[in-house]
């Protein structure tokens, strides 16, 4: 099948259009009229088969996940996702694989109100999927990594370690959390005006939180007893649970810092995702781990891309 028939058949206009997309798939570039007083938020993430997902992952899950990980980055700025571009390299054309991939991709797009507006389709030795996501945030209000203040709470959404556990136990119900991450788009924009800094968790809490600490030039204490974990992990030793929860990747939860006053206000508004206060920001640099106020050794590492 020729490149153009693949584009027409699989990628063109499968779902709801965004009203301000003036030109989508089919021309040399897409055209969007930006909303007034908003900043463009844009990011890209690549998934390589065997590296970012096991080769056994279903095409549907690969499609979902390639969008979801990018929407998670948009959410982590407090922004609202708008559209995506898809650059895909395929070793060969397998029609049922492409069908399922597109179903997963468009299911995620639809759930979060996002339109596929362009991309690139090529053949190459390894299945590689790069998605670029675009979103909007009110001018000057994006939540970056650098705003954490001494005394802020450190808060995470959802549960930690599910995906890492799922990866080690393929076939377990928690594999769903590895294959179908849920970007916290509603929560992300809800945090505008509340959170002082934010990051999404892709490489493990320890590593990702460290990015906030470095960018904000502060330190922190993490209270291990407060880590939100699935009951499937509770039969493991404490060390093993912590390993999954703070060093496991692919959570795609939001981790943010927030003043205690703002946290109280936020909770009164009952956000639709569970939130856990897992520690606090301090002036002493570095990251300390405690379990019921007793300091624990920090011998955990997050995911290393070039290890
Ligand atoms: P060009 O040669 O000008 O780069 P292409 O022939 O690569 O254009 O693509 C034709 C149109 O199809 C463009 O609008 C492009 O954005 C779109 N497109 C190509 N591949 C994809 C894809 N995988 N997903 C979405 N749109 C795609
Ligand atoms: Mg062109």
């Amino acid at each position: 099948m020729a490149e153009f028939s693949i584009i027409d058949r699989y990628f063109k206009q499968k779902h709801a259009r965004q009203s301000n997309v003036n030109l989508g798939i089919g021309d040399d570039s897409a055209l969007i009229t930006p909303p007034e007083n908003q900043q463009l938020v844009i990011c890209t993430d690549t998934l390589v088969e065997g590296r970012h997902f096991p080769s056994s992952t279903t095409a549907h899950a690969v499609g979902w996940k390639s969008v979801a990980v990018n929407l998670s980055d948009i959410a982590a700025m407090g922004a609202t996702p708008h559209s995506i571009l898809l650059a895909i390299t395929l070793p060969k054309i397998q029609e049922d694989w492409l069908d399922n991939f597109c179903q997963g991709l468009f299911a995620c797009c639809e759930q979060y109100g996002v339109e596929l507006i362009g991309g690139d389709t090529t053949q190459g030795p390894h299945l590689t999927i790069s998605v670029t996501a675009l979103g909007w945030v009110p001018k000057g209000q994006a939540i970056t990594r650098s705003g954490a203040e001494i005394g802020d709470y450190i808060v995470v959404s959802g549960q930690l370690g599910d995906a890492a556990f799922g990866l080690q136990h393929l076939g377990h119900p928690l594999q769903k959390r590895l294959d179908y991450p849920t970007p916290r788009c509603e929560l992300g924009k809800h945090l505008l005006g509340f959170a002082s800094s934010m990051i999404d968790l892709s490489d493990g809490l320890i590593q990702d939180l460290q990015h906030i600490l470095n960018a904000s030039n502060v330190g922190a204490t993490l209270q291990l007893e407060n880590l939100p974990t699935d009951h499937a992990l509770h039969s493991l030793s404490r060390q093993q649970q912590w390993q999954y929860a703070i060093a496991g990747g692919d959570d795609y939860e939001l981790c943010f810092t927030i003043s205690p006053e703002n946290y109280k206000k936020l909770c009164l508004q009952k956000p639709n995702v569970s939130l856990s206060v897992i520690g606090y920001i301090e002036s002493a640099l570095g990251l300390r781990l405690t379990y019921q106020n007793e300091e624990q050794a920090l011998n955990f590492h997050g995911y290393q891309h070039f290890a």
Side-chain angles (χ1 to χ4, degrees), residues 27-65:
D27 216 305
D28 293 309
S29 301
L31 287 174
I32 303 169
T33 303
E36 257 175 68
N37 299 316
Q38 305 275 313
Q39 273 176 306
L40 173 66
V41 181
I42 182 164
C43 64
T44 197
D45 239 329
T46 299
L47 302 186
V48 179
E49 179 179 12
R51 182 92 186 148
H52 301 103
F53 58 91
S55 300
S56 59
T57 311
T58 66
H60 191 276
V62 174
W64 174 283
K65 191 167 180 173

Side-chain angles (χ1 to χ4, degrees), residues 32-290:
I32 303 169
T33 303
E36 257 175 68
N37 299 316
Q38 305 275 313
Q39 273 176 306
L40 173 66
V41 181
I42 182 164
C43 64
T44 197
D45 239 329
T46 299
L47 302 186
V48 179
E49 179 179 12
R51 182 92 186 148
H52 301 103
F53 58 91
S55 300
S56 59
T57 311
T58 66
H60 191 276
V62 174
W64 174 283
K65 191 167 180 173
S66 62
V67 179
V69 300
N70 280 283
L71 301 190
S72 177
D73 279 323
I74 296 284
M77 304 301 287
T80 302
H82 172 269
S83 45
I84 58 163
L85 294 120
L86 165 70
I88 185 163
T89 303
L90 298 159
K92 54 183 180 296
I93 306 302
Q94 280 179 297
E95 297 190 10
D96 57 335
W97 190 93
L98 268 171
D99 260 335
N100 289 318
F101 171 80
C102 284
Q103 277 177 34
L105 178 128
F106 286 120
C108 191
C109 286
E110 246 157 65
Q111 175 138 350
Y112 296 97
V114 162
E115 178 177 345
L116 177 63
I117 58 166
D120 197 22
T121 307
T122 55
Q123 194 158 24
H126 302 292
L127 173 61
T128 306
I129 300 131
S130 276
V131 170
T132 298
L134 289 72
W136 308 109
V137 72
K139 234 173 223 168
Q141 287 190 41
I143 306 169
T144 65
R145 298 177 179 182
S146 61
E149 305 261 8
I150 293 152
D152 281 353
Y153 289 156
I154 300 167
V155 182
V156 290
S157 62
Q159 297 184 160
L160 302 180
D162 292 2
F165 185 88
L167 179 62
Q168 294 301 315
H169 303 82
L170 294 178
H172 187 279
L174 282 182
Q175 190 189 335
K176 185 133 197 288
R177 300 271 298 140
L178 173 72
D179 289 345
Y180 291 93
T182 50
R184 300 303 186 185
C185 296
E186 275 306 310
L187 177 65
K189 50 178 183 187
H190 199 140
L191 290 172
L192 283 178
F194 284 114
S196 53
S197 72
M198 178 146 62
I199 192 168
D200 74 315
L201 299 177
S202 52
D203 295 335
L205 174 68
I206 286 267
Q207 192 163 306
D208 290 327
L209 176 60
Q210 200 73 57
H211 294 311
I212 284 188
L213 302 183
N214 293 342
S216 303
N217 198 29
V218 291
T221 291
L222 267 191
Q223 299 158 310
L224 297 168
E225 67 276 16
N226 292 339
L227 296 174
T229 50
D230 191 86
H231 59 84
L233 278 69
H234 296 169
S235 56
L236 304 173
S237 75
R238 254 188 241 125
Q239 287 284 332
Q240 282 174 313
Q241 289 181 44
W242 297 340
Q243 178 70 36
Y244 282 122
I246 69 181
D250 275 350
D251 285 318
Y252 299 103
E253 294 296 344
L254 292 177
C255 173
F256 58 94
T257 59
I258 185 168
S259 68
E261 309 80 71
N262 277 356
Y263 187 65
K264 218 181 278 169
K265 288 186 207 157
L266 177 68
C267 291
L268 287 174
Q269 299 184 357
K270 300 209 186 323
N272 63 355
V273 192
S274 67
L275 298 177
S276 309
V277 176
I278 57 166
Y280 47 88
I281 297 293
E282 297 166 308
S283 58
L285 297 182
L287 181 58
R288 289 155 290 282
L289 305 181
T290 63

